């Protein structure tokens, strides 16, 4: 089995919902298994520390999770056109993986959620790609052959799946967003199989 890491940070549940849909797409590919992991919050108080195992939800990612995966899907809510600091903080700690080249040549893809329709979806996706390129990963987007890309009225870009988390239930994805996320996960898994054989 090829393990594909779905690494995300989610403040209000929308990015987590996307991660679950991407995992469904990965799991639909024979011989691939999605491993879902999150990262802890970052505190503005230096002495505040989260438990090493979360009280509920997905486990926190470790350096070993990242280094041993065959592919990576990474997601974050948008913070001023960039990824959220908890995910950036985790990536900033991966120098040992970079030095060893463990991620080099492996496929990766990115996804995001914004609170407003023009809240920086595409810039967040592009800036999330930068550390992955430094790790030597091969970036995969979403082609327009995924028909929901032309029909969505909320989220979806060729750089990666996106979600417009407006209203009272930000974690509720549209049918088009779910389909796009699943297609992105399936495409990543297919690349894992092709590049790992």
């Amino acid at each position: 089995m090829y393990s594909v890491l779905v690494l995300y940070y989610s403040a209000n549940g929308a990015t987590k919902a996307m991660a679950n849909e991407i995992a469904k797409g990965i799991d639909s590919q024979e011989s691939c298994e999605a491993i879902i992991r999150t990262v802890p919050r970052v505190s503005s108080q230096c002495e505040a520390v989260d438990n090493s195992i979360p009280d509920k939800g997905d486990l926190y990612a470790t350096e070993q999770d990242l280094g041993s995966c065959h592919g990576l899907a990474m997601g974050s809510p948008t913070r001023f056109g960039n990824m959220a600091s908890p995910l950036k903080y985790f990536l900033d700690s991966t120098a040992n993986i970079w030095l060893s080249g463990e991620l080099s040549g492996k496929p990766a893809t990115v996804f995001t959620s914004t609170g407003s329709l023009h809240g920086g979806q595409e810039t967040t996706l592009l800036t999330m790609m930068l550390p992955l390129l430094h790790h030597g990963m091969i970036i995969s987007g979403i082609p327009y052959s995924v028909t929901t890309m032309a029909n969505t009225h909320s989220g979806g870009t060729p750089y990666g799946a996106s979600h417009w988390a407006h209203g009272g239930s930000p974690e509720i994805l549209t049918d088009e967003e779910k389909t796009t996320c699943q297609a992105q996960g399936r495409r990543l898994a297919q690349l894992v199989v092709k590049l790992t054989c």
Side-chain angles (χ1 to χ4, degrees):
M1 287 293 277
Y2 299 117
S3 64
V4 183
L5 180 62
V6 182
L7 175 64
Y8 74 93
Y9 173 72
S10 188
N12 298 307
T15 311
K16 177 182 172 65
M18 295 180 76
N20 289 330
E21 294 300 325
I22 286 174
K24 287 179 187 176
I26 292 166
D27 288 336
S28 73
Q29 175 67 35
E30 190 177 331
S31 73
C32 285
E33 176 186 24
I35 307 296
I36 303 175
R37 296 289 186 266
T38 189
V39 294
R41 293 174 296 130
V42 174
S43 174
S44 60
Q45 299 175 358
C46 293
E47 63 275 3
V49 177
D50 265 352
N51 295 327
S52 58
I53 299 175
D55 295 331
K56 60 180 180 177
D58 296 315
L59 294 176
Y60 293 140
T62 65
E63 200 171 293
Q64 183 180 357
D65 290 327
L66 184 60
S68 65
C69 73
H70 295 99
L72 172 66
M74 190 169 73
S76 173
T78 293
R79 296 293 183 264
F80 302 103
N82 207 331
M83 75 179 90
S85 57
L87 190 58
K88 176 78 165 62
Y89 183 82
F90 176 80
L91 290 174
D92 285 348
S93 72
T94 62
N96 287 336
I97 294 174
W98 173 76
L99 285 169
S100 69
E102 289 176 81
L103 293 176
S104 185
K106 295 178 180 179
T109 196
V110 293
F111 57 99
T112 191
S113 174
T114 58
S116 61
L117 186 57
H118 303 291
Q121 291 180 355
E122 291 181 341
T123 58
T124 299
L125 295 169
L126 290 170
T127 55
M128 287 173 65
M129 292 176 189
L130 298 179
L132 304 182
L133 289 167
H134 277 263
H135 274 288
M137 299 195 85
I138 300 166
I139 306 298
S140 171
I142 305 173
Y144 278 93
S145 57
V146 175
T147 56
T148 54
M149 291 289 291
N151 300 324
T152 183
H153 295 288
S154 55
T157 79
Y159 312 113
S162 60
H163 166 65
W164 178 22
H166 61 91
S169 300
E171 75 284 357
I172 297 176
L173 307 179
T174 67
D175 289 341
E176 291 87 1
E177 289 169 341
K178 288 178 184 178
T179 300
T180 302
C181 286
Q182 289 174 23
Q184 184 175 10
R186 190 166 37 259
R187 186 166 199 245
L188 176 63
Q190 290 166 351
L191 287 171
V192 164
V193 172
K194 288 178 182 178
L195 293 172
T196 309
C197 289

